[in-house]
């Protein structure tokens, strides 16, 4: 028998319609590398000031992985913490999805390297690339596998070592990014809380706003491509900013509409941590209060696919999110890509 949806919900898709099958987040984990790079240190590297960075972005410091630490190292740490919270052994994991734009190498997939390191012998594994939106894309894909009864336990990881594709001479971008990883365990929990809806979108016409042109089949690595800086992330900041606000609002509003709930009922909104001014613009347009927003970008900077995954873990572990709360994750990234996920915790 299907459980009765909580009052005020119209569940648009699966959760209460699949004979009691739900997709719940049963564990979260994150990892930030030890080394912290402050704005004061950046002042010595490029022509910038702590004042400019904090007022224009809200970022005060970011974590950087060590030279011998790769994306999979960060991801494994976050994954172990999520598995521990969920009470799941690596052998119980059916599928590992890793969202990243900084894989350990072009192939094999970083997810396979993580599968081996965790000892998740039964798990299928693949990477997905949706830039800063990757974790939400991963949640939706994981949910589909669970609701279709293909798998019972899916590990979704967002992990980045953006410091390797950052041009440390370019003040327009180098002050923005950080390294880190976040993970979530998705499981079927009959008659329980879970993912209510996930929205995803993309607009490839604006791919040029934010990209790393070198290293793929269009522009393979050569001495010339390296000299021309084509293996660094490039961004048209102002246009990206405008698109981020628009797309995040659209995705958040679509989630609210699908679930037929008012923004005031959402206990915690976790936006992509790119810029405090973007978060503020989204908050205002949605009609949310500052108290509803969860922000950690002052300490982490923009960690792309890891961003909302890290923030979700921090919000859960510090008690900001409680059982039964409605949580709204909202993301935006290169592609362009965007998305939102409404979760009943
Ligand atoms: N220190 C000092 N001055 C700087 C710095 C800096 N670090 N960076 C830029 N400036 C200067 C510029 O050169 C420019 O000077 P000019 O007027 O003499 O030309 C001036 O500051 C203003 O530059 P703008 O680009 O107009 O600054 P803006 O207020 O737009 O802020 C920023 C730039 C922070 C990049 C902002 O546009 C932004 O956050 N954009 C969106 C980023 C984002 O959302 N990314 C999400 C996806 S990331 C992903 O997918 C990996």
């Amino acid at each position: 028998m299907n459980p009765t949806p909580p009052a005020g919900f119209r569940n648009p898709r699966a959760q209460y319609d699949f004979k009691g099958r739900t997709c719940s987040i049963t564990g979260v984990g994150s990892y930030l590398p030890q080394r912290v790079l402050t704005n004061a240190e950046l002042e010595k590297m490029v022509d910038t000031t702590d004042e400019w960075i904090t007022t224009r972005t809200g970022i005060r410091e970011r974590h950087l992985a060590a030279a011998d630490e790769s994306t999979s190292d960060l991801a494994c740490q976050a994954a172990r913490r999520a598995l521990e919270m969920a009470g799941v052994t690596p052998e119980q994991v059916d599928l590992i999805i890793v969202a990243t734009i900084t894989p350990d190498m072009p192939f094999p997939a970083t997810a396979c390297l993580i599968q081996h390191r965790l000892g998740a012998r039964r798990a299928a594994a693949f990477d997905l690339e949706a830039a800063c939106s990757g974790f939400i894309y991963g949640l939706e894909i994981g949910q589909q596998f669970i609701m279709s009864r293909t798998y019972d336990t899916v590990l979704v990881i967002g992990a980045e070592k953006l410091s390797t594709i950052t041009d440390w001479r370019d003040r327009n971008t180098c002050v923005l990014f950080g390294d880190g990883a976040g993970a979530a365990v998705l499981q079927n929990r009959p008659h329980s809380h879970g993912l209510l809806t996930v929205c995803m979108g993309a607009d490839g016409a604006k791919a040029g706003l934010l990209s790393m042109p070198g290293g793929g089949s269009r522009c393979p690595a050569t001495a010339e491509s390296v000299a021309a800086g084509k293996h660094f992330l490039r961004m048209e900041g102002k246009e990206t900013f405008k698109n981020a606000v628009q797309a995040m609002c659209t995705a958040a509003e679509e989630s609210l509409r699908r679930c037929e709930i008012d923004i005031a009922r959402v206990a915690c909104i976790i936006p992509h941590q790119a810029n405090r001014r973007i978060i503020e613009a989204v908050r205002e347009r949605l009609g949310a209060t500052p108290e509803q927003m969860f922000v950690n970008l002052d300490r982490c900077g923009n960690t792309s696919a890891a961003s909302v995954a890290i923030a979700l873990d921090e919000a859960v572990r510090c008690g900001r999110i409680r059982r039964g709360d409605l949580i709204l994750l909202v993301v935006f990234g290169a592609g362009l890509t965007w998305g939102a996920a409404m979760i009943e915790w």
Side-chain angles (χ1 to χ4, degrees):
M1 202 177 73
N2 290 353
T4 312
F9 278 112
R10 178 179 68 91
N11 191 333
R13 299 232 309 242
Q15 192 194 5
Y16 295 100
D17 304 334
F18 275 63
K19 297 194 171 68
R21 201 167 169 88
T22 64
C23 175
S24 292
I25 297 180
T26 56
V28 284
S30 65
Y31 176 76
L32 293 168
Q34 226 176 351
R35 160 100 165 93
V36 171
L37 180 71
T38 63
N39 289 351
E41 288 172 272
L42 278 165
E43 284 179 351
K44 296 180 193 134
M45 295 161 63
V46 286
D47 181 16
T48 192
T49 60
D50 172 47
E51 204 258 336
W52 191 96
I53 303 170
T54 45
T55 54
R56 303 309 292 162
T57 73
I59 301 166
R60 295 186 183 281
E61 57 189 37
R62 66 289 290 148
H63 292 253
L64 299 188
D68 62 354
E69 246 179 338
S70 67
T71 294
S72 67
D73 296 313
L74 312 183
C76 281
Q77 300 267 14
R80 287 193 186 99
R81 289 172 190 176
L83 291 171
E84 191 186 356
M85 185 187 281
V88 165
T89 65
E91 290 80 11
Q92 288 173 279
V93 177
D94 298 308
L95 173 66
I96 300 172
I97 302 171
V98 176
T100 187
I101 55 169
T102 48
D104 280 23
M105 56 191 93
F107 73 90
T110 301
C112 294
L113 309 176
I114 294 166
Q115 183 248 22
H116 171 64
R117 294 253 297 284
L118 293 177
R121 283 181 289 275
R122 291 179 48 252
F126 64 85
D127 288 0
L128 82 82
E129 205 272 75
C132 304
S133 308
F135 186 69
I136 295 271
Y137 271 58
L139 288 183
E140 172 68 332
I141 296 167
Q143 163 171 250
Q144 295 296 337
F145 276 111
I146 286 175
M147 301 310 284
S148 67
R149 299 171 188 273
T150 310
Y151 295 130
D152 286 322
T153 303
V154 178
L155 176 61
V156 180
I157 304 170
E160 301 285 10
K161 189 178 179 183
L162 293 177
S163 55
T164 55
I165 59 166
T166 300
D167 183 348
W168 291 103
R169 298 159 305 178
D170 176 15
R171 70 175 183 173
N172 292 294
T173 52
C174 77
V175 302
L176 304 174
F177 300 104
D179 301 332
V185 177
L186 305 186
Q187 290 188 286
N188 168 40
R189 281 280 177 275
H191 311 295
S192 180
H193 52 284
L195 284 169
L196 299 179
T197 193
V198 184
C199 308
M200 302 189 298
D203 182 2
K206 293 177 180 168
L209 287 183
L210 185 50
S211 68
M212 187 181 86
S217 57
R218 175 76 62 192
C219 175
T222 60
E224 291 75 28
S225 73
V226 172
K230 290 189 186 293
H231 301 273
F232 293 128
L233 180 154
R234 295 277 170 234
M235 178 170 69
E236 288 180 34
K238 263 201 193 332
E239 271 310 299
T240 307
F241 187 111
K242 280 189 239 161
N243 280 277
V245 174
Q246 179 63 40
M248 288 168 75
C249 289
T250 302
E253 283 160 358
E254 173 65 10
S255 301
L256 292 163
R257 194 190 59 73
R258 284 192 196 178
C259 296
E260 285 185 356
I261 63 163
D262 189 85
I263 190 72
R265 285 201 51 202
V266 179
C268 184
I269 301 168
I270 301 182
H272 175 48
Q273 309 283 315
N275 186 316
R276 184 175 270 283
R277 291 184 295 131
I278 293 177
I279 294 173
E280 195 49 25
V282 170
R283 180 191 73 72
E284 270 182 26
R285 205 176 115 180
L286 292 178
T289 64
E291 294 69 36
Q292 284 173 284
M293 311 303 286
F294 188 86
V295 178
N296 69 359
L297 98 163
D298 52 322
R299 290 179 290 106
C300 301
N302 180 350
T303 57
S304 191
S307 163
V308 289
I310 295 169
L312 176 64
D313 176 55
E314 289 187 355
V316 169
R317 287 179 196 265
C318 76
R320 177 70 180 71
I321 294 174
R322 294 172 196 284
R323 175 54 59 98
D325 279 353
L326 284 176
I327 314 299
L328 180 60
L329 309 182
V330 196
V331 295
F332 171 83
L336 301 177
T337 55
W338 56 87
M342 186 75 80
I343 305 164
E344 188 191 7
W345 198 254

